[in-house]
Amino acid sequence: MRGARSGSQTAHESGYRHHKPRPFAPIDFEPYEGGADPARVSEAAHLSARAFVQQGLANNDPEVTRRLIAVAEDEGIEVLAELWSEAPAHSLPGALWRLYAVRTATLNMPDVMAARFSAGAHRAEVERIVAGAAEPPSAEELKKMTSSILSGAFNGDFAHALERTAAYCRVLALGMAEHADAADAASSERGTNLTLRARSLDNTARDLETCARMWRQGSLD
């Protein structure tokens, strides 16, 4: 899920400036290499994640929040996303990384993502009714919701936001699986690749749902 998109629309939609957006996607989750102290990197990831989520909810250290939000505004949210990418999947920075990745993929490949969402929507609706899953957001709703979280302006139900993003991922995964079946006839390699990406998105959905449960239990950090 790689692509290119100008930063003007992203900045307008999200409320913060982007500098050279990086087209991350859930399929690309890989740790970054570097010489920084892992403990300090982890601490920075957790502190920044708390600041962004708590900015709109209840933050006890506004000065820390101010500095971290300033980093995002001056350098781009990508700088903090790199920190979050190294965090465990079932952690607050790990959850933000997945929100960021899904949002970025949606911004960078709107037509492709729309086609996949449409392909998976009918089947997802049937499964949602059976399983009682959260209502998946549209691409525009997803962008607004994740943008508010990643700009420190979110004041809604964070667990529900995670669950809705998970539902969005599941719809995309179902659509990619449909496209994989169709692609197999022309190229088994492409079909296999789409199947693997669909599984990756399904895993992302599970991680986000786990994070939502942990948030409600007060154990997501």
Side-chain angles (χ1 to χ4, degrees):
M1 298 182 191
R2 295 186 178 274
R5 189 175 177 89
S6 66
S8 58
Q9 182 178 357
T10 302
H12 173 73
E13 293 170 346
S14 64
Y16 52 76
R17 291 184 297 162
H18 275 253
H19 299 260
K20 300 180 181 178
R22 301 182 64 172
F24 294 126
I27 193 67
D28 300 318
F29 291 167
E30 294 178 358
Y32 286 81
E33 296 181 359
D37 181 349
R40 296 194 65 181
V41 170
S42 177
E43 180 184 21
H46 285 266
L47 283 173
S48 60
R50 288 187 210 120
F52 273 85
V53 175
Q54 293 174 351
Q55 167 76 357
L57 299 177
N59 185 14
N60 294 323
D61 196 340
E63 178 59 23
V64 170
T65 296
R66 187 194 64 76
R67 292 201 307 267
L68 290 168
I69 299 297
V71 169
E73 291 177 343
D74 294 339
E75 303 297 335
I77 194 69
E78 302 83 17
V79 172
L80 294 176
E82 289 191 13
L83 292 176
W84 299 338
S85 71
E86 297 187 10
H90 302 157
S91 68
L92 186 55
L96 292 188
W97 161 244
R98 282 154 180 77
L99 293 180
Y100 171 82
V102 173
R103 178 187 180 281
T104 303
T106 301
L107 285 172
N108 287 342
M109 303 179 66
D111 294 338
V112 171
M113 300 296 267
R116 290 171 178 171
F117 190 92
S118 178
H122 175 69
R123 183 177 168 188
E125 177 63 16
V126 174
E127 294 190 0
R128 184 185 68 81
I129 292 173
V130 173
E135 180 73 30
S138 66
E140 284 303 315
E141 287 176 320
L142 175 91
K143 286 184 284 187
K144 289 178 181 178
M145 181 174 66
T146 54
S147 291
S148 67
I149 294 171
L150 297 174
S151 63
F154 185 73
N155 61 0
D157 185 335
F158 184 61
H160 187 56
L162 295 178
E163 288 170 339
R164 293 200 71 200
T165 305
Y168 178 81
C169 289
R170 288 195 187 281
V171 173
L172 288 178
L174 290 169
M176 291 173 76
E178 293 283 340
H179 287 179
D181 292 339
D184 272 333
S187 170
S188 60
E189 182 178 355
R190 173 166 170 72
T192 298
N193 185 47
L194 282 171
T195 298
L196 291 174
R197 287 173 176 265
R199 289 175 182 170
S200 176
L201 268 174
D202 197 56
N203 288 336
T204 297
R206 289 196 183 96
D207 288 335
L208 289 170
E209 288 166 347
T210 297
C211 288
R213 288 195 297 272
M214 293 174 67
W215 177 264
R216 288 196 174 99
Q217 295 165 358
S219 60
L220 187 67
D221 187 28

